[in-house]
Amino acid sequence: MTHYKDLGLVNTRDMFKKAMAGKYAIPAYNFNNMEQLQAIIQGCINSRSPVILQISKGARKYANQILLRYMAQGAMEIVKASGVPVPVTLHLDHGDSYDLCVSCIESGFSSVMIDGSALPYEKNVELTKKVVEFARKHDVTVEGELGVLAGIEDEVSHAASHYTDPNDVEDFVRKTGVDSLAISIGTSHGAYKFKVKPGEKPPELRFDILEEVERRIPGFSIVLHGASSVVQEYVEMINRYGGKMESAVGVPEDQLRKAARSAVCKINIDTDGRLVLTAIIRKCFAEDPKNFDPRGYLGPAREELTKLIERKNKDVLGSAGRV
């Protein structure tokens, strides 16, 4: 077994405590390859922000779980060499089984999410509690979920969302012992989060649900999934250079900033990172069709993603300058 402390990683406990007190959210960025990981780490070093590196079940399979352990270790060496003491958590996003969570913990993850939100309530409680009991033995923090987010991202797919029922949260937290709770208040997975007509604004998130959850479990760490803003600059770039992403729209950044000032301690961002890479790579190919060197298109994509990370940390999550 590889323990996360041997890699220089931390769990989310102190991160979330500081975020709650400081009225900001920890960025949780998903990555699938080296360039994404480099951009996330460098962007957080540059902005002096704590960070949660998120890996989905699909990303773990794609990148190879053995290689990921050394990628995480390499990322921590980059942080160490920078001289900026950025706290880094390695987190399993949307774990769908006890065995997967155990495997991740044993390979160096410092935090795991067990997503039983699609199960009947009691089955969700049972599965989540089982993961928590194993994670406690290794000082790994656990995120659970109540409510279902619509949309498609990796292997997570739901046709319709179901808002979190605030009446369930106290019982769920007490019975499972989770460290944080992902709730459904109107965000969704993927690049097509809302159906809006041209000129229309996306609907407001259900802050009334968030406020009631806060009232029921005061001081408890809340997580927002599906919180990419689907930055239109990159959507337009993708379409300009041969892509087809009409009507792609995400969560307005001002709503995310409002959420980050509440009990929301962690905000997940995946789609925005994918859009940046795709937009810049398409642009590079269109402007230089002879380019066949991966460094010639992945390098610029990485640099653009680094800039996005810095801006998100500063202007949306409020996590910049917190280390």
Side-chain angles (χ1 to χ4, degrees):
M1 174 174 173
T2 300
H3 196 274
Y4 69 85
K5 290 181 181 177
D6 295 332
L7 305 180
L9 300 162
V10 299
N11 65 29
T12 59
R13 199 168 292 122
D14 287 342
M15 272 188 183
F16 288 170
K17 187 184 297 184
K18 291 175 182 177
M20 185 83 71
K23 300 296 183 184
Y24 62 93
I26 306 295
Y29 296 113
N30 287 68
F31 75 96
N32 302 274
N33 62 16
M34 182 186 74
E35 285 77 16
Q36 286 178 303
L37 178 58
Q38 288 174 316
I40 293 166
I41 288 297
Q42 195 59 55
C44 289
I45 289 171
N46 294 349
S47 57
R48 302 184 69 87
S49 169
V51 65
I52 296 171
L53 299 174
Q54 293 206 144
I55 299 172
S56 68
K57 178 182 176 181
R60 192 168 183 246
K61 182 178 179 181
Y62 173 81
N64 185 288
Q65 66 188 58
I66 297 172
L67 181 59
L68 279 175
R69 174 231 191 273
Y70 292 99
M71 289 176 71
Q73 188 173 4
M76 293 312 302
E77 291 299 321
I78 292 173
V79 170
K80 195 183 300 183
S82 75
V84 181
V86 172
V88 180
T89 294
L90 185 64
H91 176 77
L92 170 65
D93 188 26
H94 285 288
D96 62 357
S97 71
Y98 173 78
D99 288 344
L100 176 60
C101 290
V102 168
S103 176
C104 287
I105 291 169
E106 290 182 340
S107 63
F109 282 62
S110 55
S111 178
V112 295
M113 178 197 184
I114 179 64
D115 182 1
S117 61
L119 299 173
Y121 178 77
E122 291 301 333
K123 290 292 185 182
N124 187 3
V125 169
E126 181 183 335
L127 175 61
T128 305
K129 181 181 179 182
K130 187 178 180 182
V131 171
V132 169
E133 288 172 348
F134 181 82
R136 284 286 179 272
K137 299 173 185 176
H138 304 284
D139 197 29
V140 168
T141 42
V142 179
E143 175 186 327
E145 181 165 350
L146 275 177
V148 177
L149 271 67
I152 299 174
E153 198 162 72
D154 275 5
E155 62 284 340
V156 181
S157 177
H158 295 290
S161 62
H162 303 286
Y163 292 122
T164 299
D165 184 349
N167 293 313
D168 293 335
V169 296
E170 291 169 276
D171 182 69
F172 186 84
V173 168
R174 178 175 56 82
K175 286 181 176 177
T176 62
V178 288
D179 300 280
S180 60
L181 183 64
I183 64 173
S184 175
I185 61 170
T187 57
S188 62
H189 293 293
Y192 303 89
K193 300 185 186 299
F194 307 102
K195 292 182 178 179
V196 296
K197 297 176 182 177
E200 283 186 344
K201 291 184 178 181
E204 282 274 326
L205 298 179
R206 290 291 303 274
F207 284 102
D208 58 320
I209 294 176
L210 175 58
E211 289 166 5
E212 181 61 16
V213 167
E214 285 187 84
R215 191 183 72 78
R216 298 289 184 113
I217 46 174
F220 194 79
S221 302
I222 302 300
V223 176
L224 282 190
H225 282 247
S228 285
S229 298
V230 187
V231 181
Q232 291 302 298
E233 172 189 351
Y234 301 114
V235 173
E236 291 166 5
M237 190 180 296
I238 288 170
N239 291 335
R240 189 184 321 138
Y241 293 108
K244 193 172 184 181
M245 293 196 69
E246 289 87 355
S247 304
V249 63
V251 183
E253 291 184 342
D254 60 334
Q255 292 193 43
L256 294 176
R257 189 69 193 99
K258 179 179 177 180
R261 293 190 182 99
S262 70
V264 173
C265 296
K266 172 177 178 270
I267 290 181
N268 290 14
I269 299 171
D270 186 0
T271 296
D272 281 344
R274 299 182 185 199
L275 291 174
V276 171
L277 293 184
T278 301
I280 299 301
I281 289 170
R282 281 189 173 276
K283 180 176 184 288
C284 288
F285 284 155
E287 293 180 345
D288 184 7
K290 294 181 181 179
N291 183 2
F292 66 93
D293 184 348
R295 294 169 296 183
Y297 50 87
L298 291 176
R302 179 182 60 194
E303 296 310 308
E304 190 69 21
L305 180 55
T306 302
K307 294 176 186 176
L308 179 81
I309 299 292
E310 292 179 39
R311 189 185 67 76
K312 289 273 189 183
N313 293 348
K314 179 184 176 184
D315 298 336
V316 182
L317 306 173
S319 63
R322 302 291 182 168
V323 297

